[in-house]
Amino acid sequence: MNILLTGGAGFIGSNLAQYLLKTYPNDKVITFDKLTYAGNLESLKSVEGNSSHIFIKGDICDAPLVRKTFKDYDIDAVLHLAAESHVDRSILGPKEFIETNVMGTFTLLEEAKNAWGSGSENVFVNVSTDEVYGSLGKTGAFTELTPYAPNSPYSASKASADHLVRSYFHTFGLKVITTHCSNNYGAFQFPEKLIPVIILNALARKKLPIYGDGLNIRDWIHVLDHARGIDVALRSGKAGEVYNFGADAEWTNIDLVRFICSELDELRPATDTRPYSDLIEFVKDRPGHDQRYAIDSSKAKTELGWSPENDFKTAMRSTIKWYLDNLDWTERVKSGEYISYYAENYKDR
Ligand code: NAD
Ligand code: TYD
């Protein structure tokens, strides 16, 4: 297969590119990425020079370039991950989220439909999030039948994209599959999301900002379990269907941050011997902060034969070690644009 992978220079995309190229040496992966602040060729270093990998710098809103890419590389599957992905940024500036997540997805759908023609068996996998389902109370978990109730501009833009994807199946017969995944952790996550922020701030002995009371719950999954899920959805999923991926690892933010601190105390004891958890500080809550996410993956398990392979604590420990071993990566990916954004918006951190 010639697979068009959008957003392949980002966190999940770069892990997925590495996974696909290793697992299917006869497939071609055409990574298409705008290289925003969150996309970095540094994350694709391990596949540099691999003749099955092609990188194209481009915007998914650029219809002529997307069209040319479908034609030049005879694309027969799309794994669509390109997105603006950070909730906090969507609160400060939603416009880019609408442009990339809604208009970009629309552009890709149009170009796939036109390039493949009616009756094509080629598959378009739309990688979405559990955040489109909104917030849960103390019990229960999101299933594929949970009604949409997005609460942030980020999740609203992803929900809009999902609806467009669905409509292209029902109206035009495009073979689409949508996946919803819970919060990912692992190597190459941009240092603005909770886990890398905590690891890197702790090492720099900066404060560890916890929004609100720290009792919000997220359901964590290792990025490579998610990557395998996307791949199995492409190869074994049914067109028009939706699959949820999660790994039953619910943590309150405060417990997770304390766990990371205790791991760091062992792996890289602070020179002043004070525990890293001393740096925890409760800061102003995120507006509209969803209380709890939890995913029910029964459908992916029974219909796709997928299940997560990584135990949370073991894989989190490896993730922390990865950051300790790759501090140069974190320094290089923090571009000037990111630094000025951070300085402007998060003066207190
Ligand atoms: P990320 O922010 O790390 O990467 C996004 C990538 O998309 C970057 O490489 C960026 O350069 C690229 N991009 C942004 N705008 C683009 C445009 N207009 N044209 C082309 N490329 C563009 O995000 P991530 O965490 O890897 O998430 C990838 C996908 O998975 C997103 O669609 C996200 O909604 C979804 N998702 C993420 C999580 C998570 O926990 N991170 C969970 C569920 C679903
Ligand atoms: P984040 O990594 O931004 O993912 P998402 O908002 O998509 O779930 O945040 C994970 C959780 O951690 C979320 O409840 C917000 C919280 N959080 C903090 O408490 N402090 C931080 O510095 C960040 C970035 C997030």
Side-chain angles (χ1 to χ4, degrees), residues 194-204 208 260 264 316 319-320 323-324:
L194 178 68
I195 289 170
V197 162
I198 296 302
I199 299 169
L200 298 174
N201 279 20
L203 293 176
L208 311 180
I260 295 171
L264 278 172
M316 180 57 77
T319 301
I320 296 170
Y323 277 93
L324 292 175

Side-chain angles (χ1 to χ4, degrees), residues 86-87 131 183 192-194 209-211 218 253 286 289:
H86 191 34
V87 174
E131 301 191 24
N183 286 62
E192 66 179 354
K193 303 275 170 70
L194 178 68
I210 310 247
Y211 300 166
R218 296 294 181 263
N253 292 337
R286 169 190 282 171
H289 196 173

Side-chain angles (χ1 to χ4, degrees), residues 1-19:
M1 274 198 282
N2 294 334
I3 302 171
L4 178 64
L5 169 61
T6 72
F11 165 45
I12 302 170
S14 60
N15 278 282
L16 181 57
Q18 293 173 54
Y19 174 78

Side-chain angles (χ1 to χ4, degrees), residues 235-264:
R235 287 165 211 268
S236 314
K238 194 165 160 244
E241 290 291 329
V242 174
Y243 301 98
N244 285 359
F245 296 107
D248 299 318
E250 286 185 58
W251 286 74
T252 61
N253 292 337
I254 184 67
D255 284 350
L256 174 59
V257 170
R258 288 211 173 104
F259 174 69
I260 295 171
C261 287
S262 68
E263 292 295 308
L264 278 172

Side-chain angles (χ1 to χ4, degrees), residues 120-157:
S120 167
E121 289 302 313
N122 293 342
V123 175
F124 184 115
V125 179
N126 168 51
V127 176
S128 186
T129 165
D130 61 354
E131 301 191 24
V132 298
Y133 298 126
S135 186
L136 288 165
K138 283 196 170 29
T139 57
F142 300 130
T143 74
E144 290 77 0
L145 299 175
T146 303
Y148 275 40
N151 292 320
S152 71
Y154 163 65
S155 54
S157 67

